[in-house]
Amino acid sequence: MSTTVEPATDRSADEVNEEIRALWRRSGGTLSGEEREAYQRLVLEWAAAVPA
């Protein structure tokens, strides 16, 4: 069993970061429960996409 984190997509860290920023803009600075879950998924995807 592998313990490495695989990126959810082949998007770059910049692309994922832009989606995170758009989420915050749409939310007006306060995330709902559903938005918070999306944010957490995006942050994990962003972290996996950041070059080592």
Side-chain angles (χ1 to χ4, degrees), residues 16-29:
V16 179
N17 189 40
E18 184 54 39
E19 189 170 340
I20 291 169
R21 289 172 186 254
L23 175 64
W24 278 107
R25 283 191 299 270
R26 285 191 310 270
S27 74

Side-chain angles (χ1 to χ4, degrees), residues 16 20 24 37-50:
V16 179
I20 291 169
W24 278 107
E37 289 176 14
Y39 173 74
Q40 290 172 344
R41 284 191 301 274
L42 287 167
V43 168
L44 290 174
E45 183 181 350
W46 174 83
V50 172

Side-chain angles (χ1 to χ4, degrees), residues 1-16:
M1 178 194 276
S2 175
T3 58
T4 60
V5 175
E6 296 295 326
T9 65
D10 291 328
R11 297 190 299 172
S12 71
D14 288 338
E15 291 171 310
V16 179

